[in-house]
Amino acid sequence: IFSTKGLTKVYGEGRSAVHALRGVDLDISEGEIVVLLGPSGSGKSTLLNIIGGLDRATEGDAFFQDQNLCEMTDKQLTRYRRDYVGFVFQFYNLMPSLTAHENVELVTEIARDPMDPDEALAMVGLRERVDHFPAQLSGGEQQRVAIARAVAKNPTVLFCDEPTGALDSMTGRAVLNVLKDVNEKLGATVLIVTHAASQAAMADRVIHFADGNVREVVVNKNK
Amino acid sequence: IFSTKGLTKVYGEGRSAVHALRGVDLDISEGEIVVLLGPSGSGKSTLLNIIGGLDRATEGDAFFQDQNLCEMTDKQLTRYRRDYVGFVFQFYNLMPSLTAHENVELVTEIARDPMDPDEALAMVGLRERVDHFPAQLSGGEQQRVAIARAVAKNPTVLFCDEPTGALDSMTGRAVLNVLKDVNEKLGATVLIVTHAASQAAMADRVIHFADGNVREVVVNKNK
Ligand SMILES: Nc1ncnc2c1ncn2[C@@H]1O[C@H](COP(=O)(O)OP(=O)(O)OP(=O)(O)O)[C@@H](O)[C@H]1O
Ligand SMILES: Nc1ncnc2c1ncn2[C@@H]1O[C@H](COP(=O)(O)OP(=O)(O)OP(=O)(O)O)[C@@H](O)[C@H]1O
Ligand SMILES: [Mg+2]
Ligand SMILES: [Mg+2]
């Protein structure tokens, strides 16, 4: 469902240039769960933002089905994101002036086949917090609202940037089970970016990432 | 150096009231490293914000040395924070319009015995990123700027709210070593709030926290 060829991202110029992505080639099959594992600063969020249609590469191609995201206009990228992509951001990006319920509803209102917002919030253990504003939620609760919002959209592809960073192991496992359900029952292709190696267990394949490129790809035989 | 008695924090009223802290009694000795461990939503950030002088309790007392924070005016709390406290926030709270170097310098300029900002940034592996703005930094890099900023102040007490949440295990270990150094070489009392049980190894004592109160306190004999 995804195929990138020589995907490159450079910030700045000359001596202070930062090569965030160095010619990345990778493929993701429809319905797969892929975990992208790598250290801080290795380029994981940059890669996700480009194939999620939120940012543009400096060079290279990124195909979603048979369309090249790198050749799309801003309008086309917006439509791609709206119609196909659920995104859990590393920094949540919740609307501070809306409650948890309203934050999820903002996305389900314009989705083609959404879940009920409160049902998605219940799946991540937030039934008691649906009317709280982000400022009235703990770090881990805010992260879970961001997950509920992406999952409730019932997207074709679900991109998750560090989805359990702020969660204790029990809550983190519950959230990973929600992501697994969305994959198994709704057929979403799931790409999880993380630095936590323990999450590799749920993946069909694990892509090891460092310094802006793929180091190795491991097929998970234990799954 | 800290002693809380019946510390309570309630948000809201009546049926929708949230009891974030339920009469917390705890003591912290000078020069200790204490890890506060608990699940998402258990009240860890709330507790830290109150003894860090950033928020007020609904009931109870919190003594820093012999002064009761719960009886201080806003001005006195501001002076307490400025003179004694280094704080690593769960959401970093960096100034978006300042570079990493300037963010750290903002704090060292008004501190009594600070480190050099770039030295603190080098300690957390960010020598190459001192002139980047927060938006030009990865999640883990932003978290490390927040840590450098708190540590550079050379504070009497260092409060860290989930200091390694966005960091891979290698970078996370490096950061915990920086916190250990600040404790051993500079004598800072360090309170680390986290949901990651692996961090308990570096503590003198581990306070297990759940549902707004202390469950048990474990002295670390292996240290
Ligand atoms: N706008 C920018 N200008 C310059 N450098 C940037 C910019 N954005 C990101 N970078 C750099 O690109 C590199 C990759 O960033 P990215 O956010 O993709 O890393 P990451 O793997 O997600 O890290 P983390 O695990 O810490 O979130 C980092 O070293 C960062 O400093
Ligand atoms: N302003 C507020 N109004 C109402 N409830 C609040 C408010 N701030 C926090 N809470 C609630 O208080 C509880 C404790 O929050 P706190 O942020 O201290 O948890 P935490 O242990 O830090 O969690 P995490 O590990 O997820 O960061 C949470 O259930 C949260 O929903
Ligand atoms: Mg990132
Ligand atoms: Mg918290």
Side-chain angles (χ1 to χ4, degrees):
Chain A
I1 197 167
F2 281 105
S3 177
T4 75
K5 301 261 177 291
L7 209 58
T8 302
K9 180 78 180 183
V10 185
Y11 293 108
E13 298 172 326
R15 262 192 50 231
S16 66
V18 175
H19 295 263
L21 296 179
R22 300 172 186 266
V24 177
D25 298 334
L26 69 86
D27 298 304
I28 299 175
S29 312
E30 190 162 2
E32 256 198 310
I33 296 182
V34 174
V35 165
L36 189 82
L37 205 50
S40 174
S42 56
K44 306 181 296 295
S45 296
T46 302
L47 175 64
L48 214 65
N49 289 340
I50 291 170
I51 59 179
L54 290 161
D55 192 12
R56 290 186 178 281
T58 314
E59 287 178 48
D61 298 307
F63 293 92
F64 169 68
Q65 293 167 348
D66 52 2
Q67 309 163 57
N68 190 350
L69 300 176
C70 297
E71 292 178 352
M72 286 188 183
T73 62
D74 283 356
K75 248 202 171 86
Q76 291 171 318
L77 280 176
T78 302
R79 212 176 325 132
Y80 156 68
R81 289 197 312 270
R82 186 196 66 203
D83 291 347
Y84 296 105
V85 181
F87 212 110
V88 181
F89 295 90
Q90 189 168 8
F91 293 108
Y92 322 155
N93 292 25
L94 302 178
M95 301 285 287
S97 52
L98 300 180
T99 64
H101 173 96
E102 292 166 341
N103 262 285
V104 176
E105 198 177 39
L106 203 62
V107 154
T108 55
E109 301 239 291
I110 53 169
R112 290 182 287 184
D113 176 30
M115 272 183 224
D116 168 61
D118 287 350
E119 191 181 321
L121 286 162
M123 277 167 89
V124 295
L126 291 178
R127 193 188 300 277
E128 311 292 313
R129 293 284 182 270
V130 297
D131 296 325
H132 281 225
F133 292 91
Q136 299 171 326
L137 294 171
S138 76
E141 291 167 345
Q142 291 181 35
Q143 187 164 44
R144 284 183 272 160
V145 174
I147 290 160
R149 176 181 60 179
V151 156
K153 189 175 175 176
N154 217 335
T156 308
V157 280
L158 184 57
F159 290 126
C160 309
D161 198 343
E162 313 270 3
T164 61
L167 305 175
D168 57 272
S169 46
M170 202 173 83
T171 317
R173 263 198 306 276
V175 154
L176 294 177
N177 283 332
V178 169
L179 300 180
K180 253 193 255 163
D181 269 358
V182 168
N183 170 257
E184 290 169 0
K185 301 192 181 137
L186 306 174
T189 306
V190 180
L191 176 55
I192 298 170
V193 148
T194 183
H195 55 259
S198 54
Q199 297 185 9
M202 66 182 278
D204 295 306
R205 281 186 305 135
V206 180
I207 300 176
H208 293 270
F209 208 79
D211 285 325
N213 217 338
V214 176
R215 293 296 125 158
E216 67 166 332
V217 181
V218 179
V219 175
N220 194 348
K221 304 214 174 61
N222 315 326
K223 216 192 154 204
Chain B
I1 195 165
F2 280 105
S3 177
T4 75
K5 301 262 176 289
L7 208 58
T8 302
K9 181 77 179 182
V10 185
Y11 293 107
E13 299 173 324
R15 263 191 50 231
S16 66
V18 174
H19 296 262
L21 296 179
R22 301 173 185 266
V24 177
D25 297 336
L26 68 88
D27 297 306
I28 299 174
S29 311
E30 189 161 5
E32 256 197 311
I33 296 181
V34 174
V35 164
L36 189 80
L37 205 50
S40 174
S42 56
K44 307 181 295 296
S45 297
T46 302
L47 176 64
L48 214 65
N49 289 341
I50 291 172
I51 58 179
L54 290 161
D55 193 13
R56 289 186 179 280
T58 314
E59 288 180 45
D61 298 307
F63 293 92
F64 169 69
Q65 293 168 350
D66 51 1
Q67 310 164 56
N68 190 351
L69 301 177
C70 297
E71 291 178 353
M72 286 189 183
T73 62
D74 284 355
K75 246 199 173 88
Q76 290 171 319
L77 280 176
T78 301
R79 211 175 328 131
Y80 157 68
R81 288 198 312 271
R82 187 197 65 204
D83 290 349
Y84 295 106
V85 180
F87 212 109
V88 181
F89 295 89
Q90 188 168 10
F91 293 108
Y92 321 155
N93 292 26
L94 302 179
M95 302 285 288
S97 52
L98 300 181
T99 65
H101 173 95
E102 291 165 340
N103 262 285
V104 176
E105 198 178 39
L106 203 62
V107 155
T108 54
E109 302 240 287
I110 53 167
R112 291 182 287 183
D113 178 28
M115 271 184 225
D116 168 61
D118 288 349
E119 190 181 323
L121 286 164
M123 278 168 89
V124 294
L126 291 179
R127 195 189 298 279
E128 311 292 312
R129 294 282 182 270
V130 297
D131 295 324
H132 280 224
F133 292 91
Q136 299 169 327
L137 294 172
S138 76
E141 289 166 345
Q142 291 181 36
Q143 187 165 44
R144 284 183 271 161
V145 174
I147 290 159
R149 176 180 62 178
V151 156
K153 188 176 175 175
N154 217 336
T156 309
V157 279
L158 183 57
F159 291 126
C160 308
D161 198 341
E162 313 269 4
T164 61
L167 305 177
D168 58 274
S169 46
M170 201 172 83
T171 317
R173 264 198 305 277
V175 154
L176 294 177
N177 284 332
V178 169
L179 300 180
K180 253 192 256 166
D181 270 359
V182 168
N183 171 257
E184 290 169 0
K185 301 190 180 138
L186 306 174
T189 306
V190 180
L191 175 56
I192 297 170
V193 148
T194 182
H195 54 260
S198 54
Q199 297 184 9
M202 66 182 279
D204 294 308
R205 281 186 306 135
V206 179
I207 299 176
H208 293 269
F209 208 79
D211 284 325
N213 218 338
V214 176
R215 293 296 125 159
E216 66 165 332
V217 180
V218 180
V219 176
N220 194 348
K221 303 214 174 62
N222 316 327
K223 216 191 152 206

